[in-house]
């Protein structure tokens, strides 16, 4: 038979004191005679008393403010709507506990705007922060200030391992790159060349894309059957004119490219180019089942997409902050979410 959990009322009866006296001892509030205090603590310890943290959080009158920092979810960067939806849903659920999530946005791939938003967050002095460390150098500067002020932070989308982060919720970037490599390895001739496209400037500082590239290349070093060239390029903008110029050049010089791997979510930008240039036999693989990508997945131009549960990343990141800050619960530091391999047929299911 499972032993019932002891309550404050039970401790008070055993100690022969009031419920208020027990409450003062257990929560270290007010003066209580040393002998009485010792007796109450002995009863609580012997019976493995566990406070009702949820009830305590519900009755708290102090507002807890968290900050969430994300790229602005524009039509081109629609991926970021999903983690934002998750953050908003978590905030709505936790509003009963006096929790509020202030949202901050920066222009994607704009380091200066990222820095400005982090400065605004520091002025807010939140109880915790959720953000993707997209720019490694600038994120490290932000993290140093957060840690100096004792503000816990949770990563989503990517993590910087050498930091003292509270938690990370997301897929493993290196693993995601290796999954893409395995798909392509099974889809093209052994002698076919592969083009890796990073739609970003300064790849070394764009943390999550860099990890995926490294994972992709490491697969072929260790296991891959493909013996073709692995050609990696950076395109600093997603403007169609720039993409056309870059791809016209690289494809005219490399006629043996049989697959293209996009390290981010703007796979549709490359799909548009392939259709216009009647190059639909190239195996195109990238990340995220966003609306624009699904269109070309259904048409067959995009062969595979890798999903990484962005909604859950946002939702669970806020929940982890709440559990740590408000409930003082131990939490798992790394919650690695699985990646999904999506093709035209599996998506229709």
């Amino acid at each position: 038979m499972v032993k019932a959990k002891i309550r404050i009322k039970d401790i008070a009866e055993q100690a022969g004191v009031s419920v208020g006296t027990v409450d003062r001892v257990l929560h270290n509030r007010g003066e209580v005679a040393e002998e009485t205090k010792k007796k109450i603590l002995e009863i609580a310890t012997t019976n493995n008393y566990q406070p009702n943290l949820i009830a305590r959080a519900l009755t708290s009158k102090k507002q807890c403010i968290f900050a969430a920092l994300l790229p602005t979810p524009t039509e081109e960067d629609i991926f970021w709507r999903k983690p934002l939806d998750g953050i908003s849903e978590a905030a709505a659920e936790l509003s009963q506990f006096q929790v509020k999530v202030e949202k901050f946005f920066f222009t994607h791939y704009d380091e200066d705007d990222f820095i400005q938003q982090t400065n605004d967050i520091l002025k807010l002095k939140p109880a915790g922060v959720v953000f993707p460390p997209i720019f490694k150098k600038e994120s490290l500067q932000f993290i140093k200030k957060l840690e100096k002020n004792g503000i816990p932070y949770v990563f989503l989308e990517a993590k910087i391992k050498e930091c003292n982060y509270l938690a990370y919720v997301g897929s493993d970037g290196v693993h995601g790159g290796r999954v893409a490599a395995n798909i392509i390895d099974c889809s093209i001739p052994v002698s076919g060349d592969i083009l890796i496209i990073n739609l970003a400037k300064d790849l070394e500082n764009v943390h999550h894309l860099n990890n995926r590239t490294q994972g992709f290349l490491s697969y072929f070093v260790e296991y891959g059957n493909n013996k073709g060239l692995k050609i990696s390029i950076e395109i600093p903008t997603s403007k169609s004119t720039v993409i056309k110029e870059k791809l016209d050049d690289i494809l005219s010089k490399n006629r043996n490219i049989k697959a293209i791997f996009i390290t981010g979510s703007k796979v549709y930008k490359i799909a548009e180019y392939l259709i216009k240039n009647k190059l639909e036999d190239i195996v195109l693989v990238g990340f995220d089942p966003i609306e624009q990508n699904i269109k070309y997945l259904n048409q067959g131009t995009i062969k595979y997409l890798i999903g990484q549960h962005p909604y859950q990343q946002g939702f669970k990141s806020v929940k982890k902050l709440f559990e740590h800050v408000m409930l003082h619960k131990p939490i798992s530091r790394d919650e690695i979410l699985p990646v999904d391999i999506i093709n035209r047929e599996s998506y229709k299911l």
Side-chain angles (χ1 to χ4, degrees), residues 44 65 96 98 106 346:
I65 298 177
Q96 62 181 316
Q98 301 300 313
F106 64 94
S346 66

Side-chain angles (χ1 to χ4, degrees), residues 27 61 71 110 127 138 142 147 165 179 206 339:
H27 300 104
K61 295 181 180 179
D110 186 334
E138 290 75 16
F142 181 39
E147 293 181 351
Y165 59 92
V179 169
V206 183
V339 297

Side-chain angles (χ1 to χ4, degrees), residues 306-320:
I306 299 170
Q308 48 187 337
H309 304 277
Y311 176 91
Q312 289 298 323
Q313 290 186 41
F315 184 85
K316 291 186 175 186
S317 294
V318 174
K319 282 297 188 73
K320 284 182 180 291

